[in-house]
Amino acid sequence: MSNHGAEPGQAGLRVLVVEDEFLIADYLVAVLEDAGHRIAGTAATAEEALAILGSGQAVDVVSLDVKLPGGLDGIDVAEWLRATAGPPFLFVTGSGDPAFRARCEAVQPLAILQKPIDPDRLLRVLAGVAAG
């Protein structure tokens, strides 16, 4: 894996990774930590993500898989984040369905990243969050 290290003096963000596929979650965590970000937690379901977000734990940004097992999906979490003025979020999806993409865009994410993840694009999105 290439070194995607943070710039000198750049503080790492606390990122919540919401992803139900273990290998993808593990990859995202590795990319983020390699770049100097901290993992605020990982969640495999929307319910786990909402529990972490509702716990008062500090989270600067959320990486949300769109399709999650259970009754809620990543868009439900995004809607909750918008309604509660929670941290900014980006979507990670493997879906190419235009109607589904329109539903994602409606909640105004920072970005919609297509799987397989381009780590450089992910880190550029996070750099924008860190810059304010």
Side-chain angles (χ1 to χ4, degrees), residues 45-47 49-50 53 64-84 89 91 100 103-104 107:
T45 67
E47 292 81 5
L50 292 171
L53 290 162
L64 281 170
D65 184 5
V66 177
K67 293 186 177 181
L68 298 167
L72 301 175
D73 63 21
I75 297 171
D76 294 313
V77 175
E79 289 170 344
W80 182 87
L81 289 167
R82 284 280 179 228
T84 62
F89 57 91
F91 285 123
F100 198 70
R103 190 171 163 232
C104 291
V107 291

Side-chain angles (χ1 to χ4, degrees), residues 24-111:
I24 296 171
D26 192 50
Y27 174 73
L28 288 171
V29 166
V31 168
L32 294 167
E33 288 179 335
D34 188 40
H37 299 293
R38 292 169 282 157
I39 304 306
T42 58
T45 67
E47 292 81 5
E48 289 175 10
L50 292 171
I52 292 169
L53 290 162
S55 72
Q57 178 175 337
V59 175
D60 297 317
V61 66
V62 181
S63 171
L64 281 170
D65 184 5
V66 177
K67 293 186 177 181
L68 298 167
L72 301 175
D73 63 21
I75 297 171
D76 294 313
V77 175
E79 289 170 344
W80 182 87
L81 289 167
R82 284 280 179 228
T84 62
F89 57 91
L90 60 103
F91 285 123
V92 175
T93 184
S95 175
D97 178 357
F100 198 70
R101 186 170 182 95
R103 190 171 163 232
C104 291
E105 289 171 351
V107 291
Q108 303 172 343
L110 294 168

Side-chain angles (χ1 to χ4, degrees), residues 91-96 101 112-118 121:
F91 285 123
V92 175
T93 184
S95 175
R101 186 170 182 95
I112 301 172
L113 303 181
Q114 194 70 32
K115 292 177 184 175
I117 301 301
D118 174 353
R121 180 149 186 246

